[in-house]
Every structure is written in C-alpha cells, then in structure tokens.
Amino acid sequence: MMATVETYVPRMKEEYEREIRPQLKEELGLRSIMQVPRIQKITLNMGVGEAKTDAKQLDAAIEELTTIAGQRAQVRKARKSIAQFKIREGMPVGARVTLRGARMYEFLDRLISIALPRIRDFRGLNPGSFDGRGNYSLGIREQIIFPEINYDDIQQVRGLDVTITTSAETDDHARALLTALGLPFGEGPRREQ
C-alpha cells in the first residue's frame, strides 16, 4: 500500500501558473510559454556591522532573519580586511538566506500582502531598482514590519535587503512579471526633461 503524499502548492504559485503566466505570454508577445519570465530565487541579506564587537548582535540578527524567512540564516564573513572599519578577513559581518521553491512564493506573498502595507508613509516601491538583467532589489528599513517578529523581543531595529532574481532578460519583462504578481511600484524619481 502506498502512502498518499499531500503536495502543498502556495497560493501565489498556483495563481502564477493558472492566470499570470498565460496573460504575460500574450502581453509580452512571446512565442512559447517557457519564455515567460519567472522568479528563480529571493535572497534576504542583513548586514550587522556591530557583530565585530558584539557577538550577541549577530545571533539576534540570524534569529530574526530565520524567523522572517522560515529557513535557517547563514553567517556571512568579510571577504577582505578593511582597516577603516576595523574589519579583518573572515570576521562575521552579516546574515543571509536564499529562498527557492514553495518558501520563496510564501515569502513573496507575505511581503506583498502583509509586510509592505505596514511600512510608514509607503508610496510604492522604486521602479528604478532593477539591475539591467531583470533582477529587482529593495531595501527594508526595519525588520519589525514582518508580523513574525515580536516587537518586544528585538534589541535593535535593523534593515534588510531583499533581492528578487527572475529569469527575465530585460527589466521591462521583469517589471511586467512583478507587477502581475502584485508588487506595488510607485512613480519613482522624476527626471527633468
């Protein structure tokens, strides 16, 4: 007798497969459904400069990042020594997590529907933060916008960087994908003509 394996599919992934992907194929004028851009991974990075003097700060950052991501955070070590910052090669300087698969979609769903609306004076994400190869980065000033973080337990408010890596070849395709998934882009910096 075979055991039944229950496969859980995140809400956002299901919506992407069922509605967003065919819609993007039409919108972007692609020949094959396989050419439609998709999210490959989401990387969360938290720099902890105080870790060089206080090891507890790094432990707290790792714990918070692990809680936010739902996956154990890794310690990031300095790649080279920088005298001005009193950093030696190999010193712990931060924490990071790379999310893929179901956890990635779950995190993105929580980011869009719960965390971003909790940012004070939020006017939309900067549409100029694409890197030219279809990847998007955003900085979050305080980790307390995530409901998983208990406000009373944190010692210090820290920021973190979120990088969304897509398979899109151009920024326009990546923007279309992220907008379809629900990322709220603002108007961005105005350029003088």
mmCIF file with all atom_site columns, all heavy atoms in Angstrom, residues 39-55:
data_model
loop_
_atom_site.group_PDB
_atom_site.id
_atom_site.type_symbol
_atom_site.label_atom_id
_atom_site.label_alt_id
_atom_site.label_comp_id
_atom_site.label_asym_id
_atom_site.label_entity_id
_atom_site.label_seq_id
_atom_site.pdbx_PDB_ins_code
_atom_site.Cartn_x
_atom_site.Cartn_y
_atom_site.Cartn_z
_atom_site.occupancy
_atom_site.B_iso_or_equiv
_atom_site.pdbx_formal_charge
_atom_site.auth_seq_id
_atom_site.auth_comp_id
_atom_site.auth_asym_id
_atom_site.auth_atom_id
_atom_site.pdbx_PDB_model_num
ATOM 1   N N   . ILE A 1 39 ? 10.129 33.782 -11.315 1.00 0.00 ? 39 ILE A N   1
ATOM 2   C CA  . ILE A 1 39 ? 11.041 34.081 -10.212 1.00 0.00 ? 39 ILE A CA  1
ATOM 3   C C   . ILE A 1 39 ? 11.898 32.858 -9.958  1.00 0.00 ? 39 ILE A C   1
ATOM 4   O O   . ILE A 1 39 ? 11.382 31.741 -9.856  1.00 0.00 ? 39 ILE A O   1
ATOM 5   C CB  . ILE A 1 39 ? 10.245 34.468 -8.951  1.00 0.00 ? 39 ILE A CB  1
ATOM 6   C CG1 . ILE A 1 39 ? 9.476  35.751 -9.224  1.00 0.00 ? 39 ILE A CG1 1
ATOM 7   C CG2 . ILE A 1 39 ? 11.167 34.652 -7.761  1.00 0.00 ? 39 ILE A CG2 1
ATOM 8   C CD1 . ILE A 1 39 ? 8.614  36.192 -8.108  1.00 0.00 ? 39 ILE A CD1 1
ATOM 9   N N   . GLN A 1 40 ? 13.223 33.060 -9.876  1.00 0.00 ? 40 GLN A N   1
ATOM 10  C CA  . GLN A 1 40 ? 14.126 31.941 -9.636  1.00 0.00 ? 40 GLN A CA  1
ATOM 11  C C   . GLN A 1 40 ? 14.469 31.802 -8.158  1.00 0.00 ? 40 GLN A C   1
ATOM 12  O O   . GLN A 1 40 ? 14.512 30.699 -7.633  1.00 0.00 ? 40 GLN A O   1
ATOM 13  C CB  . GLN A 1 40 ? 15.402 32.115 -10.454 1.00 0.00 ? 40 GLN A CB  1
ATOM 14  C CG  . GLN A 1 40 ? 15.134 31.963 -11.939 1.00 0.00 ? 40 GLN A CG  1
ATOM 15  C CD  . GLN A 1 40 ? 16.366 32.251 -12.773 1.00 0.00 ? 40 GLN A CD  1
ATOM 16  O OE1 . GLN A 1 40 ? 17.153 33.133 -12.463 1.00 0.00 ? 40 GLN A OE1 1
ATOM 17  N NE2 . GLN A 1 40 ? 16.525 31.503 -13.840 1.00 0.00 ? 40 GLN A NE2 1
ATOM 18  N N   . LYS A 1 41 ? 14.754 32.934 -7.496  1.00 0.00 ? 41 LYS A N   1
ATOM 19  C CA  . LYS A 1 41 ? 15.072 32.879 -6.070  1.00 0.00 ? 41 LYS A CA  1
ATOM 20  C C   . LYS A 1 41 ? 14.894 34.256 -5.451  1.00 0.00 ? 41 LYS A C   1
ATOM 21  O O   . LYS A 1 41 ? 14.860 35.264 -6.156  1.00 0.00 ? 41 LYS A O   1
ATOM 22  C CB  . LYS A 1 41 ? 16.513 32.393 -5.843  1.00 0.00 ? 41 LYS A CB  1
ATOM 23  C CG  . LYS A 1 41 ? 17.566 33.342 -6.374  1.00 0.00 ? 41 LYS A CG  1
ATOM 24  C CD  . LYS A 1 41 ? 18.969 32.822 -6.142  1.00 0.00 ? 41 LYS A CD  1
ATOM 25  C CE  . LYS A 1 41 ? 19.992 33.757 -6.754  1.00 0.00 ? 41 LYS A CE  1
ATOM 26  N NZ  . LYS A 1 41 ? 21.348 33.331 -6.573  1.00 0.00 ? 41 LYS A NZ  1
ATOM 27  N N   . ILE A 1 42 ? 14.773 34.275 -4.141  1.00 0.00 ? 42 ILE A N   1
ATOM 28  C CA  . ILE A 1 42 ? 14.717 35.523 -3.387  1.00 0.00 ? 42 ILE A CA  1
ATOM 29  C C   . ILE A 1 42 ? 15.805 35.446 -2.320  1.00 0.00 ? 42 ILE A C   1
ATOM 30  O O   . ILE A 1 42 ? 15.870 34.459 -1.573  1.00 0.00 ? 42 ILE A O   1
ATOM 31  C CB  . ILE A 1 42 ? 13.335 35.731 -2.733  1.00 0.00 ? 42 ILE A CB  1
ATOM 32  C CG1 . ILE A 1 42 ? 12.265 35.888 -3.815  1.00 0.00 ? 42 ILE A CG1 1
ATOM 33  C CG2 . ILE A 1 42 ? 13.356 36.960 -1.818  1.00 0.00 ? 42 ILE A CG2 1
ATOM 34  C CD1 . ILE A 1 42 ? 10.867 36.038 -3.286  1.00 0.00 ? 42 ILE A CD1 1
ATOM 35  N N   . THR A 1 43 ? 16.658 36.446 -2.276  1.00 0.00 ? 43 THR A N   1
ATOM 36  C CA  . THR A 1 43 ? 17.749 36.468 -1.316  1.00 0.00 ? 43 THR A CA  1
ATOM 37  C C   . THR A 1 43 ? 17.506 37.578 -0.299  1.00 0.00 ? 43 THR A C   1
ATOM 38  O O   . THR A 1 43 ? 17.263 38.722 -0.679  1.00 0.00 ? 43 THR A O   1
ATOM 39  C CB  . THR A 1 43 ? 19.090 36.729 -2.038  1.00 0.00 ? 43 THR A CB  1
ATOM 40  O OG1 . THR A 1 43 ? 19.179 35.860 -3.161  1.00 0.00 ? 43 THR A OG1 1
ATOM 41  C CG2 . THR A 1 43 ? 20.263 36.474 -1.121  1.00 0.00 ? 43 THR A CG2 1
ATOM 42  N N   . LEU A 1 44 ? 17.578 37.233 0.975   1.00 0.00 ? 44 LEU A N   1
ATOM 43  C CA  . LEU A 1 44 ? 17.454 38.208 2.059   1.00 0.00 ? 44 LEU A CA  1
ATOM 44  C C   . LEU A 1 44 ? 18.829 38.381 2.679   1.00 0.00 ? 44 LEU A C   1
ATOM 45  O O   . LEU A 1 44 ? 19.498 37.401 2.981   1.00 0.00 ? 44 LEU A O   1
ATOM 46  C CB  . LEU A 1 44 ? 16.484 37.719 3.142   1.00 0.00 ? 44 LEU A CB  1
ATOM 47  C CG  . LEU A 1 44 ? 15.118 37.231 2.675   1.00 0.00 ? 44 LEU A CG  1
ATOM 48  C CD1 . LEU A 1 44 ? 14.320 36.725 3.855   1.00 0.00 ? 44 LEU A CD1 1
ATOM 49  C CD2 . LEU A 1 44 ? 14.378 38.335 1.985   1.00 0.00 ? 44 LEU A CD2 1
ATOM 50  N N   . ASN A 1 45 ? 19.240 39.620 2.874   1.00 0.00 ? 45 ASN A N   1
ATOM 51  C CA  . ASN A 1 45 ? 20.574 39.891 3.399   1.00 0.00 ? 45 ASN A CA  1
ATOM 52  C C   . ASN A 1 45 ? 20.482 40.953 4.483   1.00 0.00 ? 45 ASN A C   1
ATOM 53  O O   . ASN A 1 45 ? 19.849 41.992 4.287   1.00 0.00 ? 45 ASN A O   1
ATOM 54  C CB  . ASN A 1 45 ? 21.469 40.368 2.250   1.00 0.00 ? 45 ASN A CB  1
ATOM 55  C CG  . ASN A 1 45 ? 22.887 40.558 2.681   1.00 0.00 ? 45 ASN A CG  1
ATOM 56  O OD1 . ASN A 1 45 ? 23.380 39.844 3.536   1.00 0.00 ? 45 ASN A OD1 1
ATOM 57  N ND2 . ASN A 1 45 ? 23.538 41.549 2.120   1.00 0.00 ? 45 ASN A ND2 1
ATOM 58  N N   . MET A 1 46 ? 21.115 40.692 5.619   1.00 0.00 ? 46 MET A N   1
ATOM 59  C CA  . MET A 1 46 ? 21.097 41.647 6.722   1.00 0.00 ? 46 MET A CA  1
ATOM 60  C C   . MET A 1 46 ? 22.536 41.890 7.172   1.00 0.00 ? 46 MET A C   1
ATOM 61  O O   . MET A 1 46 ? 23.208 40.967 7.635   1.00 0.00 ? 46 MET A O   1
ATOM 62  C CB  . MET A 1 46 ? 20.264 41.063 7.879   1.00 0.00 ? 46 MET A CB  1
ATOM 63  C CG  . MET A 1 46 ? 19.953 42.027 8.988   1.00 0.00 ? 46 MET A CG  1
ATOM 64  S SD  . MET A 1 46 ? 19.042 41.222 10.337  1.00 0.00 ? 46 MET A SD  1
ATOM 65  C CE  . MET A 1 46 ? 17.363 41.417 9.800   1.00 0.00 ? 46 MET A CE  1
ATOM 66  N N   . GLY A 1 47 ? 22.998 43.105 6.996   1.00 0.00 ? 47 GLY A N   1
ATOM 67  C CA  . GLY A 1 47 ? 24.348 43.448 7.437   1.00 0.00 ? 47 GLY A CA  1
ATOM 68  C C   . GLY A 1 47 ? 24.337 43.776 8.919   1.00 0.00 ? 47 GLY A C   1
ATOM 69  O O   . GLY A 1 47 ? 23.454 44.471 9.398   1.00 0.00 ? 47 GLY A O   1
ATOM 70  N N   . VAL A 1 48 ? 25.326 43.252 9.638   1.00 0.00 ? 48 VAL A N   1
ATOM 71  C CA  . VAL A 1 48 ? 25.418 43.507 11.078  1.00 0.00 ? 48 VAL A CA  1
ATOM 72  C C   . VAL A 1 48 ? 26.827 44.006 11.368  1.00 0.00 ? 48 VAL A C   1
ATOM 73  O O   . VAL A 1 48 ? 27.724 43.234 11.691  1.00 0.00 ? 48 VAL A O   1
ATOM 74  C CB  . VAL A 1 48 ? 25.120 42.232 11.904  1.00 0.00 ? 48 VAL A CB  1
ATOM 75  C CG1 . VAL A 1 48 ? 25.000 42.568 13.393  1.00 0.00 ? 48 VAL A CG1 1
ATOM 76  C CG2 . VAL A 1 48 ? 23.860 41.559 11.423  1.00 0.00 ? 48 VAL A CG2 1
ATOM 77  N N   . GLY A 1 49 ? 27.020 45.315 11.242  1.00 0.00 ? 49 GLY A N   1
ATOM 78  C CA  . GLY A 1 49 ? 28.346 45.892 11.470  1.00 0.00 ? 49 GLY A CA  1
ATOM 79  C C   . GLY A 1 49 ? 28.803 45.758 12.912  1.00 0.00 ? 49 GLY A C   1
ATOM 80  O O   . GLY A 1 49 ? 29.995 45.658 13.195  1.00 0.00 ? 49 GLY A O   1
ATOM 81  N N   . GLU A 1 50 ? 27.840 45.725 13.861  1.00 0.00 ? 50 GLU A N   1
ATOM 82  C CA  . GLU A 1 50 ? 28.186 45.657 15.280  1.00 0.00 ? 50 GLU A CA  1
ATOM 83  C C   . GLU A 1 50 ? 28.698 44.274 15.675  1.00 0.00 ? 50 GLU A C   1
ATOM 84  O O   . GLU A 1 50 ? 29.180 44.085 16.786  1.00 0.00 ? 50 GLU A O   1
ATOM 85  C CB  . GLU A 1 50 ? 26.977 45.976 16.162  1.00 0.00 ? 50 GLU A CB  1
ATOM 86  C CG  . GLU A 1 50 ? 26.248 47.263 15.828  1.00 0.00 ? 50 GLU A CG  1
ATOM 87  C CD  . GLU A 1 50 ? 25.218 47.075 14.722  1.00 0.00 ? 50 GLU A CD  1
ATOM 88  O OE1 . GLU A 1 50 ? 24.419 46.126 14.767  1.00 0.00 ? 50 GLU A OE1 1
ATOM 89  O OE2 . GLU A 1 50 ? 25.238 47.889 13.778  1.00 0.00 ? 50 GLU A OE2 1
ATOM 90  N N   . ALA A 1 51 ? 28.597 43.307 14.775  1.00 0.00 ? 51 ALA A N   1
ATOM 91  C CA  . ALA A 1 51 ? 28.996 41.935 15.095  1.00 0.00 ? 51 ALA A CA  1
ATOM 92  C C   . ALA A 1 51 ? 30.483 41.839 15.432  1.00 0.00 ? 51 ALA A C   1
ATOM 93  O O   . ALA A 1 51 ? 30.905 40.927 16.139  1.00 0.00 ? 51 ALA A O   1
ATOM 94  C CB  . ALA A 1 51 ? 28.667 41.002 13.931  1.00 0.00 ? 51 ALA A CB  1
ATOM 95  N N   . LYS A 1 52 ? 31.283 42.797 14.939  1.00 0.00 ? 52 LYS A N   1
ATOM 96  C CA  . LYS A 1 52 ? 32.725 42.717 15.210  1.00 0.00 ? 52 LYS A CA  1
ATOM 97  C C   . LYS A 1 52 ? 33.042 42.941 16.685  1.00 0.00 ? 52 LYS A C   1
ATOM 98  O O   . LYS A 1 52 ? 34.031 42.451 17.195  1.00 0.00 ? 52 LYS A O   1
ATOM 99  C CB  . LYS A 1 52 ? 33.502 43.695 14.329  1.00 0.00 ? 52 LYS A CB  1
ATOM 100 C CG  . LYS A 1 52 ? 33.183 45.151 14.559  1.00 0.00 ? 52 LYS A CG  1
ATOM 101 C CD  . LYS A 1 52 ? 33.999 46.018 13.624  1.00 0.00 ? 52 LYS A CD  1
ATOM 102 C CE  . LYS A 1 52 ? 33.669 47.469 13.845  1.00 0.00 ? 52 LYS A CE  1
ATOM 103 N NZ  . LYS A 1 52 ? 33.069 48.111 12.714  1.00 0.00 ? 52 LYS A NZ  1
ATOM 104 N N   . THR A 1 53 ? 32.158 43.681 17.394  1.00 0.00 ? 53 THR A N   1
ATOM 105 C CA  . THR A 1 53 ? 32.399 43.915 18.814  1.00 0.00 ? 53 THR A CA  1
ATOM 106 C C   . THR A 1 53 ? 31.437 43.139 19.699  1.00 0.00 ? 53 THR A C   1
ATOM 107 O O   . THR A 1 53 ? 31.759 42.827 20.838  1.00 0.00 ? 53 THR A O   1
ATOM 108 C CB  . THR A 1 53 ? 32.256 45.423 19.145  1.00 0.00 ? 53 THR A CB  1
ATOM 109 O OG1 . THR A 1 53 ? 30.988 45.875 18.682  1.00 0.00 ? 53 THR A OG1 1
ATOM 110 C CG2 . THR A 1 53 ? 33.359 46.230 18.493  1.00 0.00 ? 53 THR A CG2 1
ATOM 111 N N   . ASP A 1 54 ? 30.241 42.837 19.184  1.00 0.00 ? 54 ASP A N   1
ATOM 112 C CA  . ASP A 1 54 ? 29.214 42.187 19.998  1.00 0.00 ? 54 ASP A CA  1
ATOM 113 C C   . ASP A 1 54 ? 28.641 40.979 19.260  1.00 0.00 ? 54 ASP A C   1
ATOM 114 O O   . ASP A 1 54 ? 27.843 41.131 18.335  1.00 0.00 ? 54 ASP A O   1
ATOM 115 C CB  . ASP A 1 54 ? 28.113 43.213 20.309  1.00 0.00 ? 54 ASP A CB  1
ATOM 116 C CG  . ASP A 1 54 ? 27.099 42.696 21.311  1.00 0.00 ? 54 ASP A CG  1
ATOM 117 O OD1 . ASP A 1 54 ? 27.279 41.560 21.795  1.00 0.00 ? 54 ASP A OD1 1
ATOM 118 O OD2 . ASP A 1 54 ? 26.143 43.424 21.611  1.00 0.00 ? 54 ASP A OD2 1
ATOM 119 N N   . ALA A 1 55 ? 29.028 39.787 19.688  1.00 0.00 ? 55 ALA A N   1
ATOM 120 C CA  . ALA A 1 55 ? 28.584 38.555 19.018  1.00 0.00 ? 55 ALA A CA  1
ATOM 121 C C   . ALA A 1 55 ? 27.079 38.331 19.196  1.00 0.00 ? 55 ALA A C   1
ATOM 122 O O   . ALA A 1 55 ? 26.444 37.697 18.350  1.00 0.00 ? 55 ALA A O   1
ATOM 123 C CB  . ALA A 1 55 ? 29.357 37.360 19.541  1.00 0.00 ? 55 ALA A CB  1
#
